[in-house]
Amino acid sequence: MKIKVKIFFLCFFLVLMVLTGCGKLADMNDTVTTPAPVVVERDQETEEETREEENLPQELQTEELVFDNTPERTPVKAKGIYISANVAGTPAIVDRLLESFDRTEANTLVIDLKDDYGRVVCEMDSPLVKELGSVQIYVRDMKGLLKRLEDHGIYTIARIPAFRDEWLGDVRPEWCLKNGDGTLFRDRNNHVWVNPYKQEAWDYLVEISLGAKELGFKEVQFDYLRFCTEAGMQKVVISEADMNGRSRTDIICQCMEYIYPRLKEKGLFVSADVYGAIINSQVNAQAVGQIYGELAKHVDYISPMIYPSHYGDGNYGIDYPDTRPYDTVTAALQDSRKELYFASQDGGHIAQVRPWLQDFTASWLQHYIEYGPEQVRAQIQATYDAGYDEWLLWDASCNYDWEGLLTPEEAAREQEQIIQSRAALPETTYAQESTRALLTVEPETGQEQQVTGEGGHELLTVAPEEESRELLTVAPEEESRELLTVAPEEESRELLTVAPEEESSRELLTVAPEESGREPLTAASGPAPAPENSQGQASGIQGPEAGQVLPSAQAEQENGQVIIVQPEEPQDPSAVPAGNTEVEVRILD
């Protein structure tokens, strides 16, 4: 009986467990049921997406990634010399040069890559150079030479004469300047000049420059980036189609505007040699096609040739510029700073200034001094004192006064002193001038005067426009005309006389420079460099009477090239004789 009761209760308990367990399982199923899907209207979905987009960072929506593929260019503060291709191709001379570089502050070498006759001086992997047959080998292993120079820490610059090119006259005469009768224009040294208006010539310069890059040069330097300035240029005819309304200065600037970015994007630095005389003379600028401030916008470095021997007596108020190298270079570079200050007012790029300095003796001058280490150092010091850090020495014979250079250790100490000295100086600004002096001189009866210098080398003569008779033109009010009288040397006093045109109301102003402290104004108010012969030696400009260098003569070197402006013989008050002279001054708006 007890067993039956136990069995009954056990069965009852089991049934109860089953019944209650199923109910809980059902409740559990109800609990974990998937919630009903949320239905979103189309406009609600768009609104949420828009809200998410608005929360994204703005730059992720609009910024476009731009990659600059321009190779990095590392600038070097150049302190260097020039050597010709012949020197570069002579291993024994290169060995001696390396010894001098190793013991001095010099760190830069300018080497002819294209010589003054248009020949490329080493093998070059360029289809156009090969097509034109331009190569004439002077340096058999240019790559090896450049690698050796680099191992000695020497920065290398390829010098490329741009628009004086005898070879192109033979192989591409259609690119060259021609006379009205269709014949090639040749200067008195028989050189052919390329027509700067021909873009094919620009492309040729780009091709040679890229070849320089492949060889291992870090920079290309364009010399003869200008027009010829001889009187024979009056016979040259340039077609209207080529000119297209562009002046000489327009086309030289456009040329560099075209060339510069093409070379910069390949990692090359670009520099240009310019006449020192163009820095403060618009007339000289128009004659050669170089405007200092404008050209500086299209190169990395600009190198004015400011050799003291190439400034006429009295320039910058200096009696004999060649005898005072520090003063002459300082004055020229102060003009440079002023010109580039105004050129930079638009906020654009302006080149660094790296002047050419004189390391040769101008023995052809009446008043000259021997140039050696002291004179070289004086010019370098003037460069630093003018606020510039770089310089190049020129001697066509490539014989340099290394004793004028410091050791690397001395140069480092000097640089620290320069930095400290400049930090104490206030910023320099300039007031805009309302007038600018222009100098034009008509040569003798419109004919160029034949002048020979040392060795019988002929000089280049500028023949301005035939109808130009004013010596000095200034600029405001067109209707007022005044006369300027200059007495060059009268008891060591320079006199400035200004008189209105009407005789009845003549007013005289006399200035004695030494007593008044004011700089005298003379007929040679701008740089008047003396010429240089084909050996890089300047030649004397002999006056028509006393055989002296004329204060009013203008000349300038371009590493073997000269611009001279020679006044005509005294025939009327607009000429410049040895005594008191009246020179017409026109005041224009």
Side-chain angles (χ1 to χ4, degrees), residues 36 51 88 141 190 259 383 399 495 504 523 545:
R51 189 180 301 111
D141 183 12
N190 209 39
I259 290 175
T383 301
N399 293 317
L495 306 179
S504 59
E545 296 182 37

Side-chain angles (χ1 to χ4, degrees), residues 37 47 55 58 103 111 119-120 123 131 148 159 221 230 273 302 309 314 457 477 488 504 512 538 574:
E47 182 177 342
N55 291 332
Q58 186 68 24
R103 64 181 173 81
I111 306 173
R119 307 309 296 268
V120 176
E123 290 290 355
E131 177 188 341
R148 189 180 178 198
R159 177 178 176 263
Q221 179 187 90
E230 290 184 12
D273 299 337
I302 192 163
S309 62
H457 294 285
E477 307 174 338
S504 59
S574 64

Side-chain angles (χ1 to χ4, degrees), residues 252-554:
I252 296 299
C253 280
Q254 285 183 21
C255 171
M256 289 313 300
E257 190 174 0
Y258 177 87
I259 290 175
Y260 178 51
R262 286 165 171 77
L263 302 185
K264 180 181 178 182
E265 71 180 7
K266 299 299 183 180
L268 276 170
F269 285 104
V270 181
S271 58
D273 299 337
V274 299
Y275 277 140
I278 71 167
I279 295 176
N280 62 0
S281 169
Q282 289 185 0
V283 169
N284 284 337
Q286 292 296 329
V288 301
Q290 297 174 338
I291 295 181
Y292 192 64
E294 290 302 312
L295 199 54
K297 297 178 181 180
H298 306 297
V299 292
D300 295 300
Y301 300 95
I302 192 163
S303 294
M305 295 170 284
I306 52 174
Y307 314 111
S309 62
H310 287 27
Y311 289 89
D313 295 349
N315 275 278
Y316 293 120
I318 301 171
D319 47 2
Y320 309 121
D322 186 68
T323 67
R324 293 164 58 183
Y326 176 86
D327 295 337
T328 304
V329 169
T330 298
L333 291 180
Q334 285 175 343
D335 267 358
S336 168
R337 290 188 67 82
K338 187 174 183 180
E339 289 286 322
L340 296 186
Y341 171 83
F342 290 116
S344 67
Q345 293 306 293
D346 60 3
H349 165 79
I350 290 292
Q352 295 293 316
V353 175
R354 183 198 288 153
W356 280 103
L357 306 177
Q358 176 176 329
D359 194 5
F360 55 86
T361 297
S363 57
W364 56 88
L365 296 176
Q366 182 178 6
H367 302 286
Y368 74 95
I369 60 174
E370 292 286 337
Y371 268 61
E374 181 182 347
Q375 289 70 34
V376 167
R377 196 71 219 169
Q379 294 174 87
I380 293 172
Q381 187 63 52
T383 301
Y384 295 154
D385 290 349
Y388 297 124
D389 297 310
E390 305 184 43
W391 44 264
L392 299 170
L393 301 180
W394 174 265
D395 182 358
S397 64
C398 303
N399 293 317
Y400 293 97
D401 289 290
W402 295 98
E403 294 77 11
L405 307 186
L406 304 180
T407 65
E409 296 76 18
E410 291 170 338
R413 290 193 295 270
E414 180 187 57
Q415 182 60 31
E416 287 298 323
Q417 294 172 354
I418 291 172
I419 292 173
Q420 294 174 12
S421 175
R422 290 178 182 171
L425 295 175
E427 182 180 356
T428 302
T429 58
Y430 299 92
Q432 184 69 54
E433 294 180 358
S434 59
T435 64
R436 181 180 292 272
L438 306 180
L439 178 64
T440 63
V441 182
E442 182 182 8
E444 243 183 287
T445 63
Q447 301 295 322
E448 55 180 280
Q449 181 176 350
Q450 195 72 10
V451 184
T452 59
E454 192 173 274
H457 294 285
E458 296 180 358
L459 308 179
L460 305 183
T461 304
V462 169
E465 299 293 333
E466 291 183 3
E467 298 179 359
S468 166
R469 297 191 63 86
E470 289 83 18
L471 179 65
L472 186 64
T473 304
V474 193
E477 307 174 338
E478 182 161 356
E479 311 202 337
S480 129
R481 294 170 60 86
E482 299 180 348
L483 296 179
L484 174 68
T485 301
V486 181
E489 292 183 297
E490 183 175 334
E491 298 180 356
S492 302
R493 293 162 60 95
E494 298 190 14
L495 306 179
L496 174 64
T497 303
V498 180
E501 189 170 347
E502 297 186 11
E503 299 287 337
S504 59
S505 59
R506 185 176 296 270
E507 298 178 3
L508 300 180
L509 172 63
T510 301
V511 180
E514 295 181 359
E515 296 176 6
S516 67
R518 298 179 57 184
E519 293 185 2
L521 176 61
T522 67
S525 58
E532 182 180 17
N533 59 33
S534 61
Q535 300 303 316
Q537 301 294 323
S539 303
I541 313 170
Q542 298 301 318
E545 296 182 37
Q548 298 179 344
V549 177
L550 292 178
S552 57
Q554 296 282 330

Side-chain angles (χ1 to χ4, degrees), residues 197 239-246:
Y197 288 92
S239 71
E240 290 295 332
D242 282 340
M243 294 181 67
N244 194 25
R246 296 170 294 181

